[in-house]
Structure formats: C-alpha cells, structure tokens
Amino acid sequence: MAGVVITVAQQKGGAGKTTMAAHLAVAFAASRKVSIIDIDPQGSLTAWYKTREARFGVGETGLDFTAVTGWRVSGEVERQARDHDVVLVDSPPRAETEARIAIRAAQLILIPVQPSPLDIMAMGPTLEIARQEKVPVLLVLNRVPPRANLTETMMGRLVELKVPVATTRIGNRVALANAFVEGEGIGESAPGSRADEEVEALAAEVMRRLKTGALGR
C-alpha cells in the first residue's frame, strides 16, 4: 500500500513552510518510515538535511531525502510513496509547474499561514491549484505571536474562506528556528518543550484528519 503524500505549500516567503516540513518529518519519523523531497530551488530543506547528515552521520538521520526538480518530480514522488509511510514535499514558493505537480500527487496540502493579511492574501494561488486538482487542504496558523487580538481577527478571515483550519497552532518560538539551523527536529533539540508539544500535536492532528477524512477542498 502506497504511503501518504503531504505537500507543504505557501506562496509568501517567511511563512515557515520549510521549517514546518522539517519538524513534521522528524515527528512522523518517530513511528513511521518517512521520506522528504525538496523541490524548492531555494534548497533550504536540502541545506537542513545536509546539516543533519553532518550531525548524525550519513544513513543515520532517520529520514530518507531527495532533491528533485522539473519533469522528474512526479515519478520521484510516486517512487518514494511506494517505499515509505509518509512522503513530505517542500514545494516552491511560486505557482510553478513543480508546485502543481506536487499538489496533484498529494493526499493533503498543508498551508502554513502567519496571522497577517499579507499571508492570507498570498494563499490564493495555492488554494486555486488545490481546487483545480481536487486535493484537500489544511491551513495551519504558524509563527503565531502572543497578541491574541490580531490572531483572532485573522482567524475570522480564514473562516470566511470556508477552508479547514487546523486546531493546532504553532507559536512564534525561537526554539524551532534554532533546531532547524542545527539540522534537528524540535523533539530532538528541546523534547518536552512547548514548541515540541505543538509540533507533536500538529503531526497527530494531520494523521487523524487523513484517517477520518476530516478535510476539505
């Protein structure tokens, strides 16, 4: 049985797309065979994985990794899905051909969204591609500041879009960025921390929604 493919996508830079993909990959890998695929030309996930290899050793990262672009994306996603329980794809920040392919190949599109008007406006192209390809999406409030008023205002905007929003929110926590720089997941660098609890809760929610079908297009 093929594994589940989850594509992490967001048009706006700075939303935490790659950082979320890396931390979720490590969280999933605690109990599943996980592959991550970097199709973003910026190569941030590739850099993270190379740092991870240097830290833990080649073949000792707990994850499989591929960087691929162009026409090879579709075949690589399919190949990795045959051999893994979860495939996480870090997509380009623009609505390019590779992004569309990664969305088409997925069972779920995760869209990290900072609680700001610019982030919400930037979701449009990704939501439209997902709608065209008939792939469910799940918005995740990410890098959430402690200012509750702004977050709740933006939450109201998201509700108006009638797109599923994860119950779990990821705070604007320095620990997540520090772990990423070191090639780690938050559960490795700061186990039991609030940031770790949030990432674990998001990983569990994603799997629960996939299992129960609590998703939307």
Side-chain angles (χ1 to χ4, degrees), residues 147-190:
R147 294 174 296 163
N149 289 343
L150 176 61
T151 300
E152 296 312 317
T153 299
M154 293 301 102
M155 187 65 186
R157 299 272 186 91
L158 294 175
V159 170
E160 292 174 3
L161 293 174
K162 298 181 180 179
V163 179
V165 181
T167 302
T168 306
R169 300 178 181 183
I170 306 298
N172 189 18
R173 305 188 187 283
V174 175
L176 293 168
N178 289 342
F180 185 86
V181 169
E182 298 297 330
E184 295 181 306
I186 189 64
E188 296 165 329
S189 66

Side-chain angles (χ1 to χ4, degrees), residues 20-103:
M20 179 174 289
H23 287 301
L24 281 177
V26 174
F28 287 140
S31 58
R32 298 172 178 87
K33 189 176 182 183
V34 176
S35 174
I36 51 177
I37 302 178
D38 189 1
I39 68 171
D40 186 345
Q42 293 180 359
S44 299
L45 191 63
T46 300
W48 173 80
Y49 189 77
K50 288 181 178 179
T51 302
R52 187 172 179 81
E53 281 190 321
R55 188 176 191 85
F56 294 103
V58 175
E60 301 297 328
T61 64
L63 302 164
D64 288 326
F65 172 82
T66 308
V68 63
T69 57
W71 60 268
R72 298 175 299 165
V73 170
S74 180
E76 185 61 27
V77 171
E78 183 178 340
R79 186 176 74 83
Q80 294 296 327
R82 287 198 297 266
D83 300 325
H84 297 84
D85 302 313
V86 178
V87 178
L88 271 167
V89 183
D90 186 26
S91 67
R94 295 171 298 280
E96 299 173 339
T97 301
E98 288 91 341
R100 182 177 289 273
I101 292 171
I103 287 173

Side-chain angles (χ1 to χ4, degrees), residues 6 20 24 27-28 32 108 110 137-141 155 163-170 197-215:
I6 301 169
M20 179 174 289
L24 281 177
F28 287 140
R32 298 172 178 87
L108 176 64
L110 281 184
V137 301
L138 181 64
L139 307 185
V140 182
L141 284 175
M155 187 65 186
V163 179
V165 181
T167 302
T168 306
R169 300 178 181 183
I170 306 298
E197 291 174 352
E198 289 171 349
V199 170
E200 289 291 341
L202 178 59
E205 180 176 353
V206 167
M207 286 302 169
R208 182 172 65 252
R209 285 177 176 267
L210 282 166
K211 183 177 181 180
T212 61
L215 301 165

Side-chain angles (χ1 to χ4, degrees), residues 87-151:
V87 178
L88 271 167
V89 183
D90 186 26
S91 67
R94 295 171 298 280
E96 299 173 339
T97 301
E98 288 91 341
R100 182 177 289 273
I101 292 171
I103 287 173
R104 182 183 302 147
Q107 283 76 57
L108 176 64
I109 311 303
L110 281 184
I111 305 179
V113 185
Q114 293 187 101
S116 76
L118 289 177
D119 275 58
I120 292 175
M121 288 188 291
M123 295 188 310
T126 301
L127 290 174
E128 178 59 21
I129 295 174
R131 186 193 65 78
Q132 293 171 359
E133 300 296 339
K134 297 181 172 60
V135 181
V137 301
L138 181 64
L139 307 185
V140 182
L141 284 175
N142 194 37
R143 294 181 173 170
V144 177
R147 294 174 296 163
N149 289 343
L150 176 61
T151 300

